[in-house]
Amino acid sequence: MSISNKAVKRKYEEEKREFKLEWEELYFFIQKNDKPFCLICQVTLSQFKADDCVEASFVIAFNIDQAKRPLALDESTDIQDKPQLAIFVRYVTSDVDVKEELLDLISLKETTRGIDIKIALDETLQKAEIPLNKIISISTDGALSMMGCKNGLIGLLKNDTNLPDFIPIHCILHREHLTAKYFKYDHVMDVVLKIVNYIRSSAKTHRQFKNFLEDIEGDIPNDVPWYCLVRWLDLAFFTDIMQHLSTLNVSLQGQNKLVNDLGQKVFQNQLKLFIRDLQSNNFTHFSCLEKIEACLIESEIKINCDDYVLKLEFLFTDFEERFRDLKALKPSLGFLENPFLVNIIEKECPLSHPIIRNKADLEIELLELLEDEGLKQFINNCPSILEFWKHISILKYPNIKNCAVKLISIFGTTYSCESLYSTMKIIKSKYRSNLTDDHLTELLRTALTSIQPDLKKLTKKLDTKKIPRKQN
């Protein structure tokens, strides 16, 4: 056969393929930087081929179907005292990027019992077509209606035979708040409360106090807030401890936080260090006490730290009790932090149900992973845990990556719900108190979503001829 008769394959550049608008609705692809871009998994394809988009859409559908869906729930009231139940869902993309989105905002009726919340959750999952067997974990605050072992949401879900085993998470941020709340110095707080209330009792007194602070040099606040049970403290020791707790509280806040990072920030070890220091009158970690000690050097007065040590021991015990369940998760979180430290020869596999599906295959993969020198070198120089898991091949280590994605997806706090309620106070204010529930939900979804709309494309699709114009 001559060369002229042979079928010559054309180059991609010669085919002059273009993006087709119907791909947006058929495959959830748009044109971005002259490349087809998936709206769901945030992946860019190299060529304008319908076959590639079809294949990618099937892969996306498979991943969505296989993905586990952790939930975060919290309940609060709006300006009309109407109970609003916020339900957030977290998912991990194929590139191991963590995404959190509002699943729904449900307006409860008269009561907010555990059964009321469960009914609302069941209806939301059914409406969103989320199978119950895909729920991997549920995070809530510590309210009895949420965490109650019998009539609370978690208790009712545990007794629901249609729901598989899941990991209940009591919001780590809420637990830290409760620990700080019950760390009291009543004899100090009573005096401080009277002083603060006097300063804030009238505009004139408040103004004079602020002017007084502005005239004083030094590292001091320029105002005094209204009394706050958790943070307003006076005594040097109490102030120092609350500064540490405040630092911890801030570090726990934020979206897309990994549960292993949050678990590490629970500072029992710091408390052990503080107790040791105070027993030897070492105030390295107590700046206010250190200043007082410096002023007392000439008088040779020694600060008695016995009471402070007892208070810290009480605080340590409280932390141990409130975060006991995190200790059970610690081996699994250690796997997420560094799977090369897992020794299944000498110890049991640290992962258990519902994180693990196939223990036998997982153990074989872990043994193979231990021999992967390239990944060993990479994890030592990796900037983050997420970056490491992005490089784990789903084809080579499917069970390992599946377990990691489940752990990554767990909500450690209900911070997203709390952020929603803060935004809700702005959107549904006294000037807009008559917003319908559906309108409020969509406004909050738009305000909180991480998805960026293509405003130029939306504008192009808008039929400007139908827009009423102002008559001169």
Side-chain angles (χ1 to χ4, degrees):
M1 183 182 291
S2 63
I3 297 178
S4 59
N5 293 331
K6 289 183 179 180
V8 180
K9 186 176 181 179
R10 291 184 299 174
K11 295 182 178 180
Y12 172 77
E13 292 78 7
E14 297 174 351
E15 295 179 0
K16 297 182 180 180
R17 294 180 181 268
E18 296 180 351
F19 182 84
K20 297 182 180 180
L21 291 178
E22 60 262 32
W23 291 355
E24 294 183 12
E25 295 183 1
L26 292 175
Y27 314 126
F28 297 98
F29 274 81
I30 63 171
Q31 184 176 0
K32 183 178 180 181
N33 298 328
D34 297 325
K35 299 288 184 181
F37 178 77
C38 176
L39 291 170
I40 299 178
C41 64
Q42 311 291 301
V43 171
T44 301
L45 301 182
S46 59
Q47 300 177 354
F48 288 124
K49 288 187 177 181
D51 292 343
D52 291 342
C53 293
V54 171
E55 180 182 356
S57 65
F58 276 115
V59 172
I60 292 166
F62 175 77
N63 288 337
I64 290 176
D65 181 67
Q66 293 296 313
K68 298 296 182 180
R69 295 171 177 85
L71 302 175
L73 297 89
D74 201 358
E75 177 268 322
S76 186
T77 55
D78 59 22
I79 194 170
Q80 293 181 319
D81 291 331
K82 182 185 296 184
Q84 300 285 358
L85 175 67
I87 306 175
F88 273 80
V89 63
R90 175 186 271 191
Y91 61 96
V92 181
T93 68
S94 58
D95 288 335
V96 196
D97 288 327
V98 182
K99 304 289 184 181
E100 296 177 6
E101 295 293 337
L102 174 63
L103 184 60
D104 208 349
L105 182 69
I106 308 298
S107 177
L108 301 177
K109 303 302 180 183
E110 296 180 356
T111 59
T112 58
R113 301 168 301 169
I115 187 62
D116 301 318
I117 297 173
K118 184 180 184 300
I119 292 174
L121 176 60
D122 290 341
E123 292 176 351
T124 299
L125 295 177
Q126 184 177 4
K127 183 173 67 174
E129 298 183 353
I130 296 179
L132 293 178
N133 61 358
K134 298 298 182 183
I135 305 300
I136 182 65
S137 69
I138 298 179
S139 303
T140 67
D141 65 4
L144 192 60
S145 60
M146 291 287 190
M147 295 298 296
C149 59
K150 290 185 178 181
N151 297 322
L153 172 67
I154 297 300
L156 294 172
L157 292 175
K158 286 286 187 180
N159 294 325
D160 190 341
T161 56
N162 295 321
L163 192 69
D165 289 340
F166 64 93
I167 302 174
I169 300 290
H170 179 186
C171 173
I172 295 176
L173 189 59
H174 184 257
R175 282 190 268 189
E176 184 276 333
H177 173 84
L178 289 175
T179 305
K181 177 180 179 180
Y182 290 107
F183 188 67
K184 295 181 178 180
Y185 259 27
D186 291 336
H187 63 284
V188 177
M189 294 308 302
D190 291 342
V191 177
V192 173
L193 178 57
K194 291 179 181 178
I195 296 173
V196 172
N197 287 342
Y198 172 75
I199 294 173
R200 298 301 297 261
S201 61
S202 68
K204 179 181 178 182
T205 307
H206 184 204
R207 186 168 57 251
Q208 290 175 338
F209 181 76
K210 290 185 66 175
N211 292 336
F212 168 73
L213 292 179
E214 291 174 358
D215 293 336
I216 300 177
E217 297 180 358
D219 184 17
I220 58 173
N222 58 5
D223 193 8
V224 55
W226 281 105
Y227 167 65
C228 175
L229 183 58
V230 177
R231 297 192 180 179
W232 177 245
L233 307 160
D234 190 20
L235 277 181
F237 164 72
F238 209 38
T239 302
D240 286 330
I241 290 300
M242 283 301 159
Q243 285 176 345
H244 289 300
L245 289 173
S246 178
T247 300
L248 173 64
N249 183 281
V250 172
S251 69
L252 295 175
Q253 297 179 27
Q255 292 182 319
N256 302 330
K257 294 271 189 176
L258 302 187
V259 68
N260 62 307
D261 292 334
L262 296 171
Q264 290 176 355
K265 293 182 184 300
V266 178
F267 73 155
Q268 286 98 317
N269 287 334
Q270 292 186 33
L271 287 174
K272 290 180 180 179
L273 175 64
F274 298 161
I275 292 172
R276 187 205 66 183
D277 287 349
L278 288 180
Q279 286 174 340
S280 58
N281 276 59
N282 181 351
F283 302 118
T284 303
H285 302 285
F286 298 86
S287 58
C288 294
L289 281 175
E290 193 172 35
K291 292 177 181 178
I292 295 175
E293 184 191 36
C295 297
L296 297 175
I297 290 179
E298 295 182 359
S299 61
E300 298 182 355
I301 297 176
K302 187 177 181 180
I303 299 176
N304 188 339
C305 299
D306 292 344
D307 184 57
Y308 304 156
V309 171
L310 291 175
K311 288 290 184 181
L312 291 185
E313 289 175 347
F314 169 81
L315 186 61
F316 176 84
T317 302
D318 200 12
F319 264 101
E320 286 284 296
E321 290 295 325
R322 294 186 186 278
F323 292 91
R324 186 181 299 276
D325 60 318
L326 284 183
K327 282 191 173 183
L329 274 178
K330 197 168 184 178
S332 298
L333 301 180
F335 158 82
L336 181 62
E337 195 74 25
N338 190 340
F340 294 102
L341 299 180
V342 176
N343 189 340
I344 61 171
I345 302 297
E346 298 180 1
K347 298 180 180 180
E348 283 288 329
C349 178
L351 302 173
S352 58
H353 190 75
I355 298 298
I356 187 175
R357 284 191 302 178
N358 191 322
K359 183 177 180 180
D361 290 346
L362 176 67
E363 289 181 336
I364 298 299
E365 288 182 16
L366 284 171
L367 292 176
E368 293 176 355
L369 181 68
L370 291 176
E371 303 300 323
D372 197 323
E373 296 297 329
L375 287 175
K376 278 185 181 179
Q377 294 294 327
F378 180 74
I379 196 172
N380 292 330
N381 303 311
C382 193
S384 68
I385 294 300
L386 289 180
E387 195 65 29
F388 168 74
W389 288 107
K390 287 180 181 180
H391 283 73
I392 298 295
S393 171
I394 189 66
L395 298 178
K396 188 175 182 180
Y397 304 110
N399 291 283
I400 289 178
K401 189 154 188 175
N402 183 266
C403 291
V405 167
K406 288 179 182 178
L407 291 169
I408 290 171
S409 66
I410 293 176
F411 279 100
T413 70
T414 57
Y415 178 83
S416 297
C417 300
E418 298 296 338
S419 297
L420 178 143
Y421 294 128
S422 297
T423 306
M424 183 175 68
K425 291 180 181 179
I426 300 174
I427 292 177
K428 191 172 183 178
S429 63
K430 62 181 180 179
Y431 304 107
R432 305 176 69 190
S433 60
N434 292 325
L435 285 173
T436 64
D437 294 332
D438 291 340
H439 196 184
L440 176 62
T441 300
E442 294 310 315
L443 287 173
L444 286 169
R445 193 189 307 279
T446 304
L448 299 173
T449 183
S450 59
I451 300 173
Q452 296 297 322
D454 190 338
L455 297 178
K456 290 185 178 180
K457 180 160 290 188
L458 291 173
T459 304
K460 289 180 181 179
K461 290 184 177 181
L462 187 65
D463 190 352
T464 56
K465 294 181 180 180
K466 294 183 179 181
I467 300 178
R469 300 181 181 276
K470 185 177 180 180
Q471 300 293 333
N472 293 328

